[in-house]
Amino acid sequence: MASLKALKVRIGSVKSTQKITKAMKMVAAAKLRRAQEAAEAGRPYAQRLEAVVASLASKVSISEASPKLLAGTGKDQVHLFVVATSDKGLAGAFNTNIARLARRRAQELIAEGKTVKFYTIGKKGRAVLNRLFPKDMAHSIEPGDLGKLGFADARGYADDLIARFEAGEFDVAHLFYSNFKSVLTQEPTEQQIIPVAIPAAPEGDAAASAVTEYEPGEEEILADLLGRNVAIQLYRAIRENAASEQGSKMTAMDNATRNAGDLIKRLSIQYNRARQAAITTELVEIISGAEAL
């Protein structure tokens, strides 16, 4: 059994840790509100832009003169996984779940004979994937605090990705991030961002078959929107990740605080029992000594 002094020191250490986790939970809760509002405010625009680009792309005849972001390279041999996580830990399974989804999809494509490369945004995603695919890391970025990133940052990442695509480094780019649902639920998500994914129109869809005239033409509109769409989808992923990180961190710190409280109770019981045993032993020694005299 541990000594009374050791138990007392351990109880004090756990109490200090509990204060830290409680403070981190409150900080995460304060940041979560702002991050959640930003994520929810950006969703309608990102979703609508993606739908508009997909709708326009479905009405355009793809040819050699079409933008490369629309037509693609004509093959899908090399896939680039843009894995967006965070630079910081202590956020539960937030980073791990995103990296796990990317790893599983990569293994599926590799099994089909495809080549997979990784473009990581965030230290935590890079740390996991670099251990599993050390030779396939194309580029990595350390974004810092996700809540402080703006559209200019996302635009810079998008320009780099587009330049790599036009240079022929990959054929298809997939974006991995965590879609914020609630404080307790963050859903790892995969989205194809390069080239633009064209959904198949349902049979008998009147809206899909309607004749719509655009001014200027569809090709000119797409030429402007395709690059913007990549940046917007990246910005959306960053905002969703910022909210998901704080939600996951808040839950993790709350669980850590509760676990620390349970540990303190167990250690306190152990300490009181040891103290009682020590007092009983001292009393027996005193009584035995008095009787001997």
Side-chain angles (χ1 to χ4, degrees):
M1 181 181 291
S3 65
L4 288 174
K5 183 177 181 181
L7 286 172
K8 193 171 183 179
V9 170
R10 191 176 178 193
I11 290 172
S13 175
V14 175
K15 284 183 176 179
S16 298
T17 302
Q18 187 184 42
K19 290 179 181 178
I20 294 171
T21 56
K22 189 175 181 179
M24 292 181 68
K25 174 191 170 183
M26 292 189 291
V27 171
K31 290 183 176 181
L32 173 62
R33 182 177 179 181
R34 295 192 297 270
Q36 182 177 354
E37 290 175 352
E40 291 175 348
R43 283 176 190 167
Y45 182 77
Q47 292 171 348
R48 186 57 181 164
L49 180 60
E50 184 181 21
V52 168
V53 170
S55 176
L56 285 170
S58 65
K59 294 178 172 63
V60 173
S61 298
I62 299 177
S63 64
E64 295 181 357
S66 300
K68 198 172 181 180
L69 287 175
L70 172 64
T73 61
K75 52 186 179 179
D76 65 343
Q77 179 60 34
V78 181
H79 293 252
L80 182 70
F81 282 14
V82 184
V83 184
T85 56
S86 69
D87 280 351
K88 300 177 182 179
L90 299 177
F94 161 67
N95 293 303
T96 305
N97 287 339
I98 300 172
R100 183 183 294 117
L101 176 61
R103 181 195 65 195
R104 187 167 61 247
R105 287 287 294 118
Q107 290 172 340
E108 291 174 358
L109 289 173
I110 292 172
E112 296 174 5
K114 310 292 184 182
T115 300
V116 178
K117 297 180 180 179
F118 294 92
Y119 186 108
T120 59
I121 303 175
K123 289 182 182 179
K124 294 302 178 179
R126 180 190 64 193
V128 174
L129 296 172
N130 191 46
R131 290 197 299 268
L132 301 171
F133 308 95
K135 298 180 181 179
D136 301 318
M137 305 301 292
H139 187 62
S140 62
I141 299 172
E142 298 179 8
D145 189 348
L146 296 179
K148 295 181 179 179
L149 295 180
F151 179 70
D153 299 288
R155 184 78 223 193
Y157 305 155
D159 290 343
D160 185 33
L161 285 172
I162 293 171
R164 290 172 181 270
F165 176 64
E166 292 177 346
E169 293 187 17
F170 62 91
D171 301 317
V172 184
H174 307 261
L175 175 61
F176 293 84
Y177 64 97
S178 182
N179 191 23
F180 180 80
K181 298 292 186 181
S182 67
V183 176
L184 298 176
T185 307
Q186 300 87 36
E187 181 181 349
T189 304
E190 177 188 358
Q191 177 184 3
Q192 181 178 319
I193 55 175
I194 298 176
V196 60
I198 304 176
E203 294 183 5
D205 189 348
S209 59
V211 177
T212 306
E213 293 186 1
Y214 293 91
E215 180 63 36
E218 293 95 332
E219 292 83 355
E220 295 178 58
I221 297 174
L222 276 173
D224 180 67
L225 290 184
L226 287 171
R228 184 190 299 269
N229 181 58
V230 176
I232 288 295
Q233 300 311 321
L234 281 171
Y235 187 45
R236 174 193 180 185
I238 290 171
R239 282 189 162 185
E240 294 286 350
N241 271 359
S244 297
E245 180 189 19
Q246 299 306 327
S248 184
K249 183 173 291 187
M250 181 179 170
T251 302
M253 291 302 102
D254 180 58
N255 291 336
T257 302
R258 293 174 184 272
N259 292 338
D262 294 339
L263 182 57
I264 289 171
K265 289 180 182 179
R266 293 197 299 269
L267 289 173
S268 296
I269 292 173
Q270 187 177 351
Y271 174 80
N272 290 334
R273 287 176 178 173
R275 184 169 177 271
Q276 184 178 8
I279 292 173
T280 301
T281 302
E282 290 179 2
L283 287 174
V284 169
E285 291 177 352
I286 292 172
I287 293 171
S288 299
E291 290 179 350
L293 293 174

